[in-house]
Amino acid sequence: LGDSGLGKSRTALWLASALNCSAEERPCGVCPSCLKIAHSNHPDVVVQERPAGKTGIGVGDVREQIAATAYKPYEGRHRVWIVAEAETLTEEAQNALLKTLEEPPGSMVMVLISSSESALLPTVSSRCRSVRFQSVPPEELWRELEERGAEPEQARTLAHLARGRPGVALGWLENRALWELRCATLDLLSGLHGAQLWPALETAARLDKLRAGEEARQSLAAVLDTCRLWYRDLLHLA
C-alpha cells in the first residue's frame, strides 16, 4: 500500500526473485531465474495489469489466474501472482479472489499492489498482510539522484517536487518528455484561475493534446497527478 512511485512494483518483483532465485544469497539478480523475472518471461511469475482500454480489472480477467493457482510451479519453487493497480479490481473480481486469498496453495504467493486501501473490500484487506510504503526523505532522494547523474540543483528540485517518491523523481530525470509534460501542464493550470467556460474548455482541450507525444496511458496518469498536486497545494495555501 502506498502512493505511486514508491517502489511497490519493484519490491513485488524483488520478492518473486527472492522466492525463486537459485543462488545462496537471494535474490542474486544474475541467475537464470532472476534474469527471466527481470525480463518478464518467467513461467511461474505473472504480473496482472489493468487491460488497455478498460477502467478496471474484471472477474473475467482474473479467472484464468485463479484456475492456474491449482498448478504446481513449472520451473521455480513458487508461483507468484502480482496484481498491479489492485484498487481497480471490480467488486465482482475481488469477491472471486476471496477463496484464493484465504486458502492459497503452499507453493503460491499472491501480491496485491494498491495505492488505496479504501478501494479494496474489507473482506479482501482482512485476508492480506499489509505492507505500507512511506515516502523517502528529500535529502536521501537527492543524493540518489546525484549518484545517477543529476546536477546538484536539479537533484534538489526533483526530490522536493516528487514529494519523496523515487519512481516519480527518476522518471523525470531519465525521461525528459515526462518533465516537459509536467511543466506544460503547470503552465496551463496557472492560467486557468478565474477563467470563464470557453477558456476553461480550451485549456481542457490543450491538456488532452499534451499526452499525444507520450504513451497515452502513462502521460495521462502524469497529467492527472500534476493536476492533483497543483490543486492540493492551492488548498494548502488557502
Side-chain angles (χ1 to χ4, degrees):
L1 292 170
D3 205 353
S4 60
L6 292 178
K8 302 187 299 296
S9 296
R10 186 184 296 269
T11 302
L13 291 174
W14 179 91
L15 174 63
S17 297
L19 290 170
N20 288 295
C21 179
S22 58
E24 291 185 5
E25 295 187 7
R26 300 176 287 178
C28 68
V30 295
C31 71
S33 179
C34 287
L35 291 175
K36 286 182 179 180
I37 292 172
H39 291 90
S40 304
N41 57 13
H42 194 291
D44 296 318
V45 178
V46 174
V47 178
Q48 176 123 37
E49 297 181 323
R50 175 165 52 93
K54 288 189 176 183
T55 58
I57 303 174
V59 66
D61 302 316
V62 299
R63 280 190 178 128
E64 181 180 352
Q65 292 306 319
I66 291 174
T69 59
Y71 305 151
K72 292 183 178 181
Y74 181 74
E75 66 176 53
R77 289 187 299 275
H78 294 272
R79 292 181 61 86
V80 182
W81 178 11
I82 300 169
V83 181
E85 295 181 295
E87 68 273 10
T88 68
L89 286 163
T90 65
E91 184 173 341
E92 187 180 14
Q94 292 188 52
N95 283 323
L97 294 175
L98 292 179
K99 185 176 181 181
T100 304
L101 290 170
E102 188 165 11
E103 299 176 356
S107 59
M108 189 264 183
V109 174
M110 187 173 182
V111 181
L112 303 181
I113 300 173
S114 178
S115 59
S116 173
E117 186 175 14
S118 62
L120 300 176
L121 296 175
T123 48
V124 171
S125 299
S126 64
R127 287 169 169 79
C128 300
R129 176 178 295 177
S130 296
V131 178
R132 299 183 183 277
F133 284 67
Q134 305 296 328
S135 59
V136 177
E139 298 82 1
E140 183 177 335
L141 183 51
W142 83 49
R143 283 197 297 270
E144 177 65 23
L145 293 171
E146 287 182 352
E147 290 179 1
R148 290 174 180 257
E151 296 296 327
E153 185 64 27
Q154 180 189 27
R156 285 169 172 75
T157 299
L158 294 180
H160 282 291
L161 290 176
R163 290 174 171 82
R165 298 175 296 168
V168 174
L170 288 171
W172 289 335
L173 178 64
E174 298 169 357
N175 188 336
R176 182 68 184 177
L178 278 179
W179 176 252
E180 292 175 350
L181 177 64
R182 178 190 181 278
C183 295
T185 302
L186 289 177
D187 286 341
L188 288 175
L189 291 175
S190 63
L192 188 60
H193 177 67
Q196 299 300 314
L197 177 60
W198 185 250
L201 291 175
E202 289 181 330
T203 299
R206 293 201 296 272
L207 280 171
D208 186 60
K209 290 179 181 178
L210 285 178
R211 59 196 183 92
E214 277 286 312
E215 194 277 322
R217 187 163 158 185
Q218 180 188 25
S219 58
L220 175 60
V223 168
L224 292 175
D225 188 55
T226 299
C227 292
R228 177 178 64 87
L229 294 174
W230 167 266
Y231 285 109
R232 189 191 72 170
D233 287 350
L234 288 181
L235 286 171
H236 179 74
L237 289 172

